[in-house]
DNA sequence: GTCTATATTTCGATAGAC
DNA sequence: GTCTATCGAAATATAGAC
């Protein structure tokens, strides 16, 4: 038998390697898509031999699924402030802010999700049918309540949710196009503030809440 | 030499085969991405031997580029009514209608474009830097003119354009997600009308034009 | 122009020494 | 746990008969 080691140390190494691999995988999957990504590229970016990836994640698909789950969880938490808000100005305003911030900080994850959904959600269809469906129904009901209370104009809650997702995630998914139209430069802090303000102003006024 | 044939007939065959291949390619690229698509899959869907694809399109990338160009041209034409309009209600309203209709009729093309841009536009970067950049500058100037004339609220024209692209294309690119949230059914005629109306109502009111 | 057969490359995954 | 070497499958692309 080998010399006994502290379990905590082994676990720490495992967690660190898994995190390195997941971070590299997110980037490669975002840049090349699932089909275009190769285990070799991910291994190179993580600074590990290719065989080690298969030690931590048995298959390419298992690794990919973990990456998709990560961004999904981040988005779910972004809606916390939505629920506690007294009305649409605070609730939807905070939700837009949170989603825009995620588009800036987790653009790669957003792209992986977009790519997965565009291709028919072959790996995370179960999430769409359970967690996302429930989440959407709950938020649609909340929006309808605000409408019934006269706090905003009568709009279709689901189409409003689609608009919120579309506009905020666009800054991540189509970030390259926006950069190109910005003279090839990434958006500055000031420009990100302007983007957030534009989205919030138009939508909140559009639903008669501002 | 072979017996002389009418050029027009040979051209007709060529055009018909090219169209079949392009249509099949658009579908396969949309469903699997560039990396996930295979020439074999495209050939099967087009009902041709794989080698024939290489006869009409030398490489996979050349075929892909043609598919991307198609949807881009369709979108450019959708903005014709934009320019002739006297103000934002007619111009932006018509543009939303046209873009929504394209999302419905050319969802695959929209997905291919989205995938291309998400991956950094490796194939059509030149279009972004020339045609799209000029197009965007022209439309932003028109919107600014409407603002200066007091026909709409002072919003950032570029962020408004991004919002128009994001909201309309979302119904194509994330169509699978929307279908899942619609109980697994595609949107009916009535639901598409409601979607168009929602987008137009919120945005036009959001920019103070309705 | 069409199609079968195949050359060549590259990928995901694994075996086995350390 | 790590890494080198490699297998078997699948991909793009082409050669060459028809």
């Amino acid at each position: 038998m080998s010399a006994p080691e502290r379990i905590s140390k082994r676990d720490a190494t495992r967690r660190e390697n898994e995190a390195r691999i997941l971070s590299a995988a997110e980037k490669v999957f975002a840049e090349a898509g699932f089909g275009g990504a190769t285990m070799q590229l991910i291994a190179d970016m993580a600074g590990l031999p290719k065989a080690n990836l298969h030690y931590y994640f048995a298959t390419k698909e298992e690794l990919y699924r973990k990456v998709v789950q990560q961004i999904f969880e981040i988005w779910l938490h972004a809606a916390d402030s939505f629920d506690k808000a007294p009305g649409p100005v605070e609730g939807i305003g905070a939700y837009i802010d949170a989603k825009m911030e995620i588009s800036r900080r987790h653009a790669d994850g957003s792209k992986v999700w977009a790519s997965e959904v565009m291709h028919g959600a072959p790996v995370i269809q179960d999430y769409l049918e359970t967690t996302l469906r429930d989440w959407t129904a709950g938020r649609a009901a909340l929006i309808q309540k605000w409408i019934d209370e006269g706090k905003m104009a009568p709009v279709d809650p689901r189409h409003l949710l689609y608009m919120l997702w579309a506009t905020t995630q666009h800054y991540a998914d189509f970030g390259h196009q926006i950069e190109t139209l910005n003279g090839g430069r990434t958006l500055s802090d000031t420009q990100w503030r302007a983007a957030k303000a534009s989205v919030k102003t138009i939508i909140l006024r559009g639903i008669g809440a501002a």
Side-chain angles (χ1 to χ4, degrees), chain A:
Chain A
M1 300 295 178
S2 59
E5 285 187 339
R6 302 244 314 281
I7 295 288
S8 60
K9 183 168 186 182
R10 187 184 302 178
D11 279 3
T13 300
R14 167 168 283 273
R15 251 194 299 275
E16 188 184 319
N17 280 339
E18 281 185 359
R20 285 169 66 92
I21 294 170
L22 281 170
S23 174
E26 184 177 73
K27 188 159 185 156
V28 173
F29 282 133
E31 286 174 358
F34 179 80
T38 69
M39 296 296 268
Q40 187 66 63
L41 262 172
I42 297 171
D44 291 348
M45 182 154 295
L48 292 169
K50 185 172 63 134
N52 289 33
L53 264 64
H54 286 285
Y55 175 75
Y56 285 100
F57 300 91
T59 66
K60 181 183 175 182
E61 183 173 322
E62 183 185 324
L63 174 55
Y64 171 78
R65 190 177 165 90
K66 279 275 164 58
V67 171
V68 176
Q69 284 175 337
Q70 277 189 333
I71 185 68
F72 188 57
E73 307 251 329
I74 290 171
W75 277 335
L76 285 183
H77 281 99
D80 290 347
S81 51
F82 203 117
D83 301 317
K84 306 169 196 155
V89 177
E90 303 84 356
I92 293 175
Y95 185 56
I96 291 173
D97 275 332
K99 286 291 299 334
M100 287 292 281
E101 200 59 27
I102 295 170
S103 283
R104 188 177 189 184
R105 305 296 173 192
H106 301 276
D108 285 334
S110 180
K111 289 177 189 173
V112 177
W113 173 271
S115 190
E116 164 71 7
V117 171
M118 279 202 306
H119 299 153
V123 175
I124 49 88
Q125 178 67 20
D126 53 333
Y127 276 84
L128 298 187
E129 293 179 357
T130 57
T131 314
L132 184 62
R133 187 172 287 181
D134 294 345
W135 187 95
T136 305
R139 297 322 174 285
L142 180 56
I143 292 169
Q144 188 58 53
K145 188 169 80 80
W146 288 336
I147 293 172
D148 294 339
E149 293 171 354
K151 291 176 176 170
M152 54 180 281
V155 301
D156 186 310
R158 285 171 183 274
H159 290 299
L160 172 57
L161 286 173
Y162 300 158
M163 180 175 288
L164 293 172
W165 296 342
T167 49
T168 56
Q169 288 163 225
H170 184 82
Y171 284 88
D173 302 341
F174 288 76
H176 176 80
Q177 181 173 289
I178 292 175
E179 271 186 40
T180 299
L181 295 176
N182 191 42
R185 296 178 297 274
T186 57
L187 296 191
S188 64
D189 286 355
T190 306
Q191 289 176 314
W192 269 101
R193 266 195 298 276
K196 278 189 198 177
S198 284
V199 172
K200 279 203 294 189
T201 300
I202 296 176
I203 291 184
L204 289 180
R205 184 165 45 205
I207 61 174

